Amino acid sequence: MWKKFNAKSALVKHGKVHVVQKSETLKIWKCAECEKEFKSQSGHFKHYKTHFKETKIHECGICSKRFSESTHLKQHIMIHTGEKPFQCEICPKQI
């Protein structure tokens, strides 16, 4: 079986295991709340918002978990449904 993912971003991240890349100097953005590091400012900003409850306005109708991004809610719902629409075409493992 091929690897399958419930988010395109997870498929993209997984794809990096199949590519040997040269190390490059990257600017790292660090969260002031938890010190998690990010390669992009937009990723850092999306993460930073997750620390504040007032930004978590999207609620799961199944378990009531809340999210700051509607796309995160849609991805989360796939946990309940078991849906994994994104598949790696290089290796057969499902995630």
Side-chain angles (χ1 to χ4, degrees):
M1 297 203 96
W2 298 104
K3 279 192 179 183
K4 291 187 177 180
F5 303 87
N6 65 3
K8 188 175 182 180
S9 60
L11 173 60
V12 170
K13 183 177 180 180
H14 165 75
K16 292 177 182 178
V17 304
H18 299 295
V19 178
V20 177
Q21 296 179 355
K22 295 179 181 178
S23 66
E24 299 175 14
T25 304
L26 296 173
K27 181 166 184 167
I28 302 296
W29 300 86
K30 190 178 275 192
C31 176
E33 297 294 318
C34 69
E35 298 190 9
K36 187 173 181 178
E37 295 180 343
F38 298 88
K39 295 177 184 175
S40 72
Q41 185 177 15
S42 61
H44 168 256
F45 182 70
K46 284 181 180 182
H47 165 79
Y48 186 74
K49 290 191 307 183
T50 66
H51 289 291
F52 303 98
K53 288 190 178 191
E54 60 272 4
T55 63
K56 295 183 180 184
I57 58 173
H58 307 283
E59 184 173 336
C60 176
I62 299 169
C63 69
S64 301
K65 187 170 181 176
R66 299 175 67 87
F67 301 88
S68 59
E69 304 274 333
S70 63
T71 55
H72 295 167
L73 172 60
K74 289 174 187 174
Q75 183 179 347
H76 166 79
I77 289 172
M78 290 183 207
I79 292 170
H80 297 299
T81 65
E83 184 180 358
K84 294 182 179 182
F86 302 99
Q87 177 175 313
C88 178
E89 295 183 9
I90 298 172
C91 62
K93 187 177 175 187
Q94 288 186 0
I95 293 179

